[in-house]
Amino acid sequence: MDSYIDKISFCIQKGKIDSKSPYPPEMKGEPGADELTMEALRDGLNANDILTKAMIPAMGVVGELFKEKKLFVPQVLMSAKAMSSAMHHLKPYFASGELKQKGLFIVGTVAGDLHDIGKNLVSMMIEGSGWSVMDLGVDVKSEQFIEAIRDNPGSVLGMSALLTTTMESMERSVREIKSIYPQQKIIVGGAPLSSDFAKRIGADFYAQNPQTAVEYLGNIK
Amino acid sequence: MKMTPRERVIEAMSLRKPDRVPLMCQFSIGAMMQQLKPSPAEFWYDGRLFSVGLADLCERFSFDGILVSLHGHSPQWRDEILSIRKIEEGKEEVVFKDRTEIHSWNDLPMVKYNNKIEKKLIDDIDLSRDVPDFIDYIPVSQDLYFKVDPQYPFEIFGYLRELVGDKYSIHGEITSPFDYLLDLLGYEQGLISLIMNPEKCKKILEKFTENIADLAEKMCDCGIDAIKISSPFAGMGFISPEHYSEFVLPFESIIISRIKAKGKFTYIHTCGHIDDRLELMRDSGSSGLECLDPEPVGNVDLANAFSRIGDSMFIKGNIDSVNTLLFADDIKAYDDVKKIIETGMKGRGFILSTACSLAPKVSSQRIEMLHKMVEDIGYYQ
């Protein structure tokens, strides 16, 4: 059974989705995360073991390598796709309550900003770490963040901004949210940000890259 | 002997030392708006107004050169507009048949399309139909395009020369084929396609390269001194050095060689972390490099960059527009810039500039400080 765990983990790390996927070339024709997860479940492997011993650690390795700039966005996207193809087979277990997400991460790009590349990457990595993600999209106003927090107590909020001008709307949103929900955990990220800025506006954490966001979430739960 | 601003920039781009360090920052659209406070929609679309603004800002802050970041303004730009209205001071809504644009003094326009733009899958891309036969748009930002009027592609350069004569160095800007590829496919699919369908990517890149090189060659005939190649997705934040070698370098090299054959300089602008690929960027044959963002925005150490590539390329940079010019106190801002000037002066070709564009809310005083500093400490013996 351990060989399934190792193989699924390996496929996710390598971005091997299924046997039809030509990537990576050295695994062409071999089964991917999709088929292996299906087979593992059919052979009686515990869904929780697949999730917690294969899938989540594999995405952790990917995130770490990305943080160290040993892996790059195309490879990370392939790993996220492989993860997603495996996760598809676990859906019934989540629906039945046998598997549980670690928590809910609400994410959005702040008002006035339409960029979503960074936000999407962070969402994928956080989803890969076992969290459920609610993506509010781009150009998200404070009221939309507040409404999502109100409807989902206990969630963690992530905000993204790529422009120096929209860092101002990020600050506004963080202050408004904290004035209503002082205990609300807020992670911020984006190219022009820094930990000093995050501190100054009252955010709880500055995620320089997706993996640091994953690590932060791992520590608060 | 005191040089003119234009001579100063050309000297630095030729890897020789001018009388003093040339100063030439590129303005973000928001930074221009904040300084000039024009009608934001008119400033974006009207080539004459845009050129007057560029010349005004160059004079105002005593820069030595002007980067023309948008070209191809149509004199008939109002024809397709259904309505235009002022929402508030410095904010206008422009409605087109297919989209609504909000133009403001804050930053680039925000565009909302009536129908979501669906990107084609790479396997469905037909090279003859889906990749244009000539470049008639600039992919400015995510889902934001500037249409290049094929009848008036380079009028802006003429307007500018009328305004400033030969005093300043004028540079044009083109966008890398890699950027056009990612825009065509959507960033996510584009990046995945590099590994899932590399050969098709290369075919698309080849066609874009040919068309961009044509555009660049014609731009060279418009009285400019150099062309900046904007290549924002070619850094470590996105792709590996191997992918850079495969999907960026060969194509930018073709464009660069064609620009240089016209006797003009080139420089590559890639934001963020690029330290691991400086030598690859040099191998493109480009005359210079721009940006070289320092920590925390990037990871380039200027002295180290000069030691690695400074013998064959000029460097234009590398002030952190956010952490030095926008947020730092006066002492830190001065110290940061002083260190950059001192380091740059030891190199062969150096132009003082922000790494990325001037952020919109950088104050006039901070921009003025740059000229005072090159005058105070930027003269070569």
Side-chain angles (χ1 to χ4, degrees):
Chain A
M1 289 298 184
D2 277 354
S3 75
Y4 274 128
I5 297 289
D6 293 342
K7 282 179 184 170
I8 293 167
S9 171
F10 187 70
C11 284
I12 291 172
Q13 289 178 49
K14 287 285 177 185
K16 178 68 178 170
I17 302 167
D18 55 28
S19 58
K20 283 179 273 178
S21 171
Y23 181 81
E26 67 273 17
M27 292 174 76
K28 201 172 173 183
E30 292 178 25
D34 180 21
E35 293 99 340
L36 288 166
T37 306
M38 194 163 56
E39 281 174 32
L41 289 166
R42 196 186 55 211
D43 287 356
L45 196 65
N46 183 289
N48 191 51
D49 283 350
I50 298 175
L51 181 68
T52 58
K53 291 181 181 170
M55 294 164 64
I56 293 174
M59 281 307 280
V61 171
V62 170
E64 201 57 43
L65 291 171
F66 182 62
K67 184 170 122 184
E68 292 167 10
K69 303 222 178 320
K70 289 177 182 162
L71 271 189
F72 297 87
V73 178
Q75 292 87 353
V76 172
L77 290 171
M78 291 308 293
S79 288
K81 280 190 174 294
M83 173 86 180
S84 172
S85 72
M87 192 67 95
H88 175 74
H89 299 291
L90 300 187
K91 274 187 180 163
Y93 300 88
F94 281 109
S96 70
E98 191 178 330
L99 288 181
K100 283 194 168 55
Q101 308 279 15
K102 290 180 179 170
L104 176 67
F105 182 69
I106 300 168
V107 68
T109 303
V110 299
D113 202 323
L114 300 176
H115 297 88
D116 64 4
I117 302 169
K119 169 184 71 64
N120 292 348
L121 209 54
V122 169
S123 299
M124 284 174 205
M125 298 305 294
I126 288 177
E127 206 159 24
S129 74
W131 285 65
S132 174
V133 173
M134 178 192 283
D135 188 348
L136 301 179
V138 296
D139 189 21
V140 180
K141 317 272 183 295
S142 299
E143 311 85 73
Q144 294 168 270
F145 284 124
I146 289 166
E147 193 184 330
I149 292 164
R150 188 194 60 215
D151 294 347
N152 297 282
S155 57
V156 177
L157 178 64
M159 285 184 191
S160 167
L162 188 76
L163 307 168
T164 52
T165 43
T166 53
M167 286 163 74
E168 290 175 6
S169 42
M170 176 180 272
E171 177 170 2
R172 233 180 350 262
S173 289
V174 170
R175 293 195 191 286
E176 284 176 34
I177 292 163
K178 287 283 188 179
S179 71
I180 303 169
Y181 301 104
Q183 302 306 316
Q184 176 63 44
K185 297 281 184 206
I186 304 176
I187 303 177
V188 294
L193 273 66
S194 64
S195 51
D196 281 350
F197 175 77
K199 215 175 285 173
R200 196 165 68 235
I201 66 173
D204 295 278
F205 186 68
Y206 161 62
Q208 195 174 14
N209 52 62
Q211 188 58 18
T212 54
V214 169
E215 287 162 9
Y216 175 79
L217 291 178
N219 289 333
I220 60 171
K221 282 278 165 178
Chain B
M1 198 180 76
K2 196 162 173 73
M3 291 179 159
T4 67
R6 186 179 189 184
E7 287 168 345
R8 199 172 278 142
V9 173
I10 289 174
E11 201 70 356
M13 293 194 294
S14 308
L15 303 182
R16 294 188 296 263
K17 291 192 194 303
D19 57 346
R20 72 146 166 82
V21 170
L23 169 66
M24 181 184 171
C25 299
Q26 61 278 20
F27 284 88
S28 63
I29 294 291
M32 292 185 215
M33 300 267 193
Q34 288 292 325
Q35 296 297 331
L36 300 165
K37 306 287 186 195
S39 151
E42 274 187 43
F43 189 72
W44 177 256
Y45 281 114
D46 188 307
R48 286 234 177 239
L49 191 62
F50 192 66
S51 60
V52 168
L54 287 171
D56 180 351
L57 291 170
C58 183
E59 290 275 359
R60 193 183 294 188
F61 296 110
S62 304
F63 286 179
D64 293 299
I66 300 171
L67 173 75
V68 181
S69 53
L70 296 175
H71 63 91
H73 301 72
S74 171
Q76 286 87 38
W77 65 275
R78 288 180 187 274
D79 290 358
E80 289 177 26
I81 292 174
L82 301 181
S83 70
I84 180 165
R85 75 179 175 98
K86 184 174 171 178
I87 300 171
E88 60 189 57
E89 181 85 288
K91 198 169 190 179
E92 291 163 347
E93 181 193 70
V94 186
V95 181
F96 293 83
K97 204 172 165 187
D98 63 335
R99 67 191 188 278
T100 300
E101 299 179 347
I102 303 294
H103 293 254
S104 82
W105 288 341
N106 276 338
D107 222 312
L108 289 167
M110 280 183 69
V111 188
K112 299 233 165 130
Y113 292 88
N114 300 346
N115 298 307
K116 194 173 182 292
I117 302 176
E118 293 296 342
K119 302 284 185 185
K120 276 194 169 179
L121 296 174
I122 186 159
D123 292 339
D124 298 334
I125 294 280
D126 179 328
L127 278 172
S128 58
R129 203 179 53 230
D130 299 317
V131 183
D133 292 327
F134 60 94
I135 297 297
D136 60 356
Y137 67 98
I138 303 169
V140 179
S141 188
Q142 200 168 342
D143 292 336
L144 173 66
Y145 302 95
F146 189 83
K147 271 174 81 173
V148 175
D149 187 330
Q151 285 193 306
Y152 307 94
F154 307 120
E155 257 55 16
I156 182 112
F157 298 105
Y159 299 155
L160 258 181
R161 277 282 173 234
E162 271 175 33
L163 291 165
V164 303
D166 274 345
K167 188 175 175 186
Y168 298 109
S169 186
I170 295 178
H171 301 182
E173 177 171 344
I174 57 168
T175 305
S176 167
F178 188 62
D179 222 42
Y180 276 95
L181 171 77
L182 295 188
D183 174 73
L184 178 75
L185 298 171
Y187 297 102
E188 215 173 288
Q189 188 202 182
L191 289 164
I192 285 178
S193 298
L194 302 182
I195 47 186
M196 293 297 276
N197 201 340
E199 293 314 311
K200 186 79 175 274
C201 285
K202 285 175 197 167
K203 285 196 166 64
I204 296 170
L205 283 165
E206 277 167 18
K207 188 167 178 189
F208 273 126
T209 299
E210 186 58 29
N211 295 337
I212 295 165
D214 285 348
L215 179 90
E217 276 183 339
K218 287 175 192 148
M219 195 183 275
C220 287
D221 295 331
C222 300
I224 57 166
D225 296 326
I227 293 184
K228 160 181 160 174
I229 301 172
S230 178
S231 191
F233 294 99
M236 294 168 75
F238 293 97
I239 57 170
S240 65
E242 291 75 24
H243 274 170
Y244 186 90
S245 299
E246 199 176 348
F247 298 104
V248 179
L249 181 58
F251 304 98
E252 288 187 359
S253 299
I254 291 170
I255 295 168
I256 287 163
S257 69
R258 284 179 56 183
I259 295 170
K260 287 174 87 175
K262 299 283 281 185
K264 306 298 178 186
F265 297 95
T266 59
Y267 50 98
I268 300 171
H269 173 111
T270 298
C271 332
H273 295 63
I274 57 168
D275 183 69
D276 71 340
R277 60 202 62 193
L278 292 179
E279 285 79 5
L280 289 175
M281 296 171 101
R282 179 193 58 202
D283 292 348
S284 67
S286 178
S287 333
L289 274 190
E290 185 178 64
C291 276
L292 302 108
D293 283 298
E295 295 274 1
V297 181
N299 64 345
V300 177
D301 174 80
L302 189 58
N304 178 266
F306 268 112
S307 73
R308 287 162 58 190
I309 56 150
D311 278 347
S312 50
M313 299 181 98
F314 73 82
I315 288 180
K316 184 173 178 294
N318 74 340
I319 305 168
D320 182 335
S321 177
V322 179
N323 298 296
T324 293
L325 296 186
L326 187 62
F327 290 136
D329 59 30
D330 287 347
I331 294 169
K332 177 174 162 41
Y334 183 88
D335 288 348
D336 284 358
V337 176
K338 181 169 181 267
K339 192 176 169 203
I340 290 167
I341 293 173
E342 287 170 352
T343 307
M345 287 177 81
K346 290 178 195 152
R348 288 186 70 188
F350 173 59
I351 298 170
L352 180 67
S353 156
T354 44
C356 218
S357 314
L358 272 164
K361 296 287 175 72
V362 172
S363 68
S364 308
Q365 292 76 10
R366 275 289 154 83
I367 309 175
E368 283 161 0
M369 177 191 83
L370 302 176
H371 178 250
K372 283 185 197 136
M373 288 186 72
V374 286
E375 281 294 314
D376 287 348
I377 60 171
Y379 275 89
Y380 293 96
Q381 285 185 337

